[in-house]
Amino acid sequence: MSDRIEKLINSAAGKKLLSAMGVTVATDLQRYKATQASYFSGAVLLGAGEDAKLLANIQENLSDSDAQVFYSPEAAAQVGGSADSNATSDRYQALVFDGSGFVDATELVAAYRFFNASIRKLKSSGRIVIIGRPHLQCANPEAAAAQRALEGLSRSLAKEVGAKGATAQLITVADGAEANIDSSLRFVLSPKSAYISGQVIKVRAADTDTGADWHKPLAGKIALVTGASRGIGEAIADTLARDGATVVGVDVAPMEAELGKVMSRLNGKAVIADITSADAPSIIAKALGELGGADIIVHNAGVTRDKTIANMSEQHWQMTLDINLAAAQRITAELLKTNTINDGGSIVGVSSMNGIGGQRGQTNYAASKAGVIGYVDFMAQSKELAAKNITVNAVAPGFIETAMTAAIPLFTRMFGRRLNSLSQGGLPVDVAETISFFGNPASRGVSGNTVRVCGQSWFGA
Ligand code: NAD
């Protein structure tokens, strides 16, 4: 019955009716297809504030896509006058603004003028990308304020364009990391980031491999995915394999048949282990060692055991913390100790929006998922990992359409999936695309990030 009601609501007639009732109707998001020729195609309007520092890098990036680039007069003036500042397009697939040169609040008006004039021309499933600098690395407080202002601007723009399935992000590029912007810019411009909006991606200086093939960036890489037999873990395994990686999937004994099916479909390797068991770290290290070590480590396995804290048993508290947080740390420690993570590798934690915003009845889960972020923040500063050029990041999914969320009662579910700027739930593949972006050898400048995959959920920070 609830399936039939849902089908009706999502039909063309249902959507028309909702729209007539004044309810925001979700736009179908464009997602990546392996058959698409380039990561981006369509018209881009490039704008800039005074003294923009990354225009040349943005131009170089777009020259590798099927973009047709138009320039605002301010951007045209700064790219050597080669651009025709009078040329415009009726509609744009992307609006890209370089605000990296802002050093004063009064200069921000250039961003206002750019978006005021162009935002109505942004197409459905379009992209807004703002480029800035990390505010704490600015030379003085006025510049720091101007750079931090870009975050509020981009998050608000994301809320203004979400109804048409469009997204907005800020990329902050550290001094000396200009050449490392490439993978982040490709990701946020492409349909791979369909369900990510209102995020800040921090890019730091690092030794980066620039030769990656956009369609097969993980060719020759070995990836570990825990909890790989279903849901988000299965999508991560599928996506990493699609991008060229050999996947080693881990799951518990009761999931052996499901894991076997996924791994044989992907030509991967199945490892049966409860990640909380004492011997799991060495079993996993051995399996990865036999393949020459791992390049991507994804700690996806996780559970919920929901109850308000007054009603929660200590066993359920401890079990949730152990599976979601402590086990991943023990496995990472063993892999580092046995040198099983290859140089240039990537470690990814799976957090949750509820780990950021908190949730009634989820003190254990939210604590574990906030812990994932703390671990990632700290590890990203590790000298040992920096020496091996290993990155550490987290994804924080919001409402993702899985068996878990399908079990939520219909009206709570319908309400839950709409509480974000894109007015819909995300798909497991949206989380997986973000993890593949972190694992891309061209993303070595992306470390210490927690990227929310939540359609800019209205809850949480
Ligand atoms: P799921 O329950 O469908 O899959 C989790 C997998 O982990 C299962 O295959 C399970 O067998 C495995 N697993 C559990 N305990 C294990 C253990 N001790 N050892 C080895 N494997 C174990 O869940 P999902 O919805 O796909 O979620 C995957 C991850 O994403 C989890 O970390 C979850 O907290 C996180 N997440 C999910 C959502 C969502 O909306 N579904 C939102 C935010 C975060």
Side-chain angles (χ1 to χ4, degrees), residues 3-4 134 306 312 329 360 404:
D3 273 5
R4 265 188 291 151
D306 299 355
M312 187 183 296
Q329 295 168 14
R360 186 176 187 278
M404 188 177 92

Side-chain angles (χ1 to χ4, degrees), residues 275-309:
I275 56 165
T276 62
S277 67
D279 55 357
S282 58
I283 291 173
I284 292 170
K286 185 165 173 278
L288 294 174
E290 284 165 7
L291 296 171
D295 304 285
I296 301 154
I297 308 294
V298 188
H299 294 296
N300 163 76
V303 294
T304 49
R305 287 294 180 273
D306 299 355
K307 280 252 190 302
T308 55
I309 199 158

Side-chain angles (χ1 to χ4, degrees), residues 226-233 250-252 255 273-276 299-304 323-324 350-353 365 369 396-405:
T226 64
S229 61
R230 67 175 193 204
I232 293 174
V250 177
D251 218 303
V252 288
M255 298 300 285
D274 177 335
I275 56 165
T276 62
H299 294 296
N300 163 76
V303 294
T304 49
I323 295 175
N324 295 1
V350 177
S351 179
S352 163
M353 193 185 82
Y365 183 77
K369 294 299 184 179
F399 189 105
I400 303 296
E401 306 281 359
T402 62
M404 188 177 92
T405 46

Side-chain angles (χ1 to χ4, degrees), residues 40 74 97 99 108 169 171:
F40 181 88
E74 295 73 15
F97 185 86
L108 289 162
Q169 333 284 351
I171 302 177

Side-chain angles (χ1 to χ4, degrees), residues 167-186:
T167 65
Q169 333 284 351
L170 171 66
I171 302 177
T172 61
V173 184
D175 239 349
E178 291 77 8
N180 290 344
I181 194 181
D182 199 51
S183 74
S184 300
L185 198 47
R186 283 173 191 246

